[in-house]
Amino acid sequence: YQMIWTADELHGPQRAFDLAQSLAQNPAASRPLRMQAKWAAAIMLGQLGQPPAARTAFEALLREIENDGNLSSLVKDVKERLQRL
């Protein structure tokens, strides 16, 4: 998912969002990678000036991962970002 951040730096948040969405929906990607891509997509929505959409995306992601012990650091980050929105 590092390519998402590179896309943001080189081409801006819309391109990064599109890439993150594509990865998040790719059934060949591992579940942790798809969840990280959803997280990145939510961040990009915020950078695109769409805080309500970012909040909705973070909330949906949290519902999906909050009981997954393997993604506890991601859960923590999502909760922190939701508090700041």
Side-chain angles (χ1 to χ4, degrees):
Y1 78 102
Q2 186 61 37
M3 291 176 60
I4 296 165
W5 308 120
T6 302
D8 182 35
E9 288 178 23
L10 296 177
H11 306 288
Q14 183 63 57
R15 185 86 167 267
F17 172 77
D18 294 341
L19 182 59
Q21 284 290 90
S22 177
L23 181 57
Q25 297 171 6
N26 185 339
S30 68
R31 182 175 187 274
L33 186 57
R34 289 192 320 272
M35 298 306 108
Q36 290 170 337
K38 289 181 181 188
W39 170 77
I43 292 171
M44 292 303 125
L45 284 169
Q47 289 185 14
L48 287 165
Q50 299 180 33
R55 172 174 288 285
T56 298
F58 279 128
E59 288 171 343
L61 176 58
L62 184 58
R63 285 190 300 274
E64 196 168 348
I65 66 172
E66 65 186 333
N67 295 317
D68 187 334
N70 294 320
L71 298 173
S72 59
S73 61
L74 193 58
V75 169
K76 181 181 176 196
D77 186 83
V78 169
K79 287 179 178 179
E80 290 170 0
R81 288 178 187 274
L82 280 168
Q83 288 179 349
R84 292 192 302 261
L85 283 175

